[in-house]
Amino acid sequence: MSRPFSRLPEPLAFIRHFTPNWFAMTMGTGVLALVLAHLPWHLPGLVMLAEGLWFFAVGLFVLFSLLFLLRLALFRDTLWPMLLHPVQSMFLGAIPMGMAVLIKGLLLFGVPRWGEGVYALAHALWWLDAALALLGALLVPYLMFTRQHHALEKLTAVWLLPIVAPEVAASAAGALAPHLSAANAQQLLAAGFVLWGMSLSLAFSLITLVLLRLALHKLPDTDFAATSWLPLGPLATGCLGLLSMGQAAPLAFAGTPLAGAAELARDLGLVGGLALWGAGLWWLVIATLFTRHYIRDNMPFNLGWWGFTFPLGVFALATFELQALTGLAFFSFAGVVLALQLLGVWCLVFSRTLAGVWHGELFQAPCLGGPGSPAVGVLSERVG
């Protein structure tokens, strides 16, 4: 094995070339932990494995946050190139999405370890996450409309990343609300439904554009193979958010003038969740066919491969939630199949990421140029 970091583009590349793409690794690892914890099996060590993956995801998030802050502090000249890059800037949405997944894991794994005081921490973190998600959903599109350069033939589903973050925060609100006081739960759910509506409406608009782009210009280059899965993310997260917030609403608004509306939100949430799950199923199948096409073209590995994991994981979570609410065995079977598929994909992508970190090839920010890094429009750094 060659010596480590032999292909770093420059000294301190770990910091100067650190990109928000890395937070997609936190998203994929965190959602795998949640999916494993929701499996219907009670195998020895399964919960420990899920909890271990969550702790690993927390460590990654802390490390990545530190590296990103160091880049902004030590290399301020790299900020504007990152914000103006038509692809790299989109991954700013991965930061709050990664945090939202960790908050849901905190509810699942933190309470048994540290007690119910965890709920107060999760509540504070949720508002921070919601603020970051809202900031990204406003800032990145504003830059797209005013400063960045885009064209229909270069459009990919990566555009979804900044605007889906509020929707992911909304799904976490549904999980957290039942553990808060009525007043706090009401505020949380009200904010969650607003974020959900803001995000999903824009997501459907962008998915429409993605379908138009695919019809007119066919599949993107192999560097963008993982973007085929990204539309599954807002559909699955929209389903999960609608289900979780709908289930939490009756308890939160009991005895208030909105009690009737809360009951309606629960019932319509199930119907809407089934509809969104159906839309996600269509995209799951079509994305699988696209991936088979890309595999024949020997698609190169890049950090964008983490985009295969999160949409699949959140679709599995939505499937398990539907099984719990409907009692239909079909959703249990489908959830297990999706979970096993996610585990296999995660192992593959994680092993390739470790190889890229060992050689240092992944630390090449597209907006800064450098060896092996195209000037514009690359989803993520290539690993040859």
Side-chain angles (χ1 to χ4, degrees):
M1 184 178 293
S2 61
R3 62 184 180 86
F5 314 132
S6 57
R7 301 174 191 173
L8 282 178
E10 61 183 69
L12 292 181
F14 295 105
I15 298 175
R16 187 170 184 270
H17 285 259
F18 185 83
T19 64
N21 308 45
W22 285 93
F23 286 93
M25 185 177 180
T26 300
M27 296 167 58
T29 304
V31 80
L32 176 61
L34 296 178
V35 168
L36 292 179
H38 282 83
L39 283 173
W41 306 324
H42 298 285
L43 300 178
L46 186 61
V47 174
M48 292 183 60
L49 174 61
E51 186 178 23
L53 283 169
W54 177 74
F55 275 112
F56 180 54
V58 172
L60 289 176
F61 188 86
V62 172
L63 174 62
F64 295 162
S65 298
L66 177 61
L67 291 174
F68 191 55
L69 291 174
L70 284 174
R71 173 181 172 174
L72 299 181
L74 300 179
F75 302 100
R76 297 180 183 177
D77 59 307
T78 67
L79 175 59
W80 272 111
M82 177 188 67
L83 291 177
L84 298 182
H85 194 274
V87 175
Q88 189 179 349
S89 59
M90 304 298 161
F91 281 89
L92 290 171
I95 300 175
M97 284 193 283
M99 180 183 290
V101 173
L102 298 182
I103 292 172
K104 296 186 73 171
L106 183 61
L107 300 175
L108 192 60
F109 305 113
V111 175
R113 278 186 170 271
W114 303 301
E116 294 188 357
V118 165
Y119 294 136
L121 174 61
H123 187 207
L125 290 175
W126 186 88
W127 285 106
L128 173 61
D129 180 72
L132 291 175
L134 186 59
L135 176 63
L138 293 172
L139 174 63
V140 176
Y142 175 77
L143 292 174
M144 291 174 65
F145 304 153
T146 60
R147 301 294 298 275
Q148 296 176 359
H149 299 284
H150 296 275
L152 180 61
E153 63 271 16
K154 295 182 179 179
L155 183 155
T156 69
V158 75
W159 282 20
L160 288 164
L161 290 176
I163 67 165
V164 171
E167 189 180 340
V168 179
S171 70
L176 176 59
H179 306 291
L180 302 178
S181 66
N184 287 333
Q186 291 166 16
Q187 294 175 359
L188 197 74
L189 289 175
F193 276 113
V194 169
L195 293 174
W196 182 90
M198 174 194 305
S199 182
L200 192 63
S201 61
L202 293 173
F204 272 119
S205 300
L206 283 181
I207 290 173
T208 301
L209 291 178
V210 170
L211 289 172
L212 176 63
R213 181 254 184 269
L214 289 172
L216 296 181
H217 303 287
K218 311 312 172 190
L219 293 178
D221 294 337
T222 53
D223 285 310
F224 296 87
T227 64
S228 302
W229 288 80
L230 295 185
L232 177 61
L235 298 174
T237 308
C239 171
L240 184 60
L242 201 57
L243 293 173
S244 61
M245 289 191 296
Q247 292 300 308
L251 178 61
F253 291 97
T256 71
L258 293 176
E263 297 286 343
L264 185 62
R266 179 194 60 198
D267 298 337
L268 290 181
L270 179 56
V271 176
L274 286 167
L276 286 171
W277 192 90
L281 179 62
W282 183 90
W283 205 277
L284 172 71
V285 174
I286 204 71
T288 302
L289 295 176
F290 287 166
T291 303
R292 291 188 60 185
H293 176 88
Y294 280 120
I295 290 174
R296 291 197 297 267
D297 289 343
N298 297 318
M299 58 181 180
F301 177 74
N302 55 58
L303 277 179
W305 277 30
W306 283 101
F308 290 118
T309 59
F310 184 75
L312 184 60
V314 75
F315 191 62
L317 290 176
T319 304
F320 284 130
E321 186 71 13
L322 282 172
Q323 190 281 325
L325 295 177
T326 65
L328 296 176
F330 165 76
F331 289 115
S332 180
F333 171 76
V336 169
V337 172
L338 291 168
L340 293 176
Q341 183 181 356
L342 172 63
L343 180 61
V345 172
W346 185 90
C347 290
L348 172 64
V349 178
F350 182 70
S351 64
R352 298 295 297 271
T353 302
L354 285 181
V357 171
W358 176 269
H359 295 297
E361 292 172 314
L362 290 178
F363 296 97
Q364 293 179 11
C367 64
L368 303 181
S373 180
V376 175
V378 176
L379 171 65
S380 169
E381 301 82 356
R382 271 197 177 193
V383 174

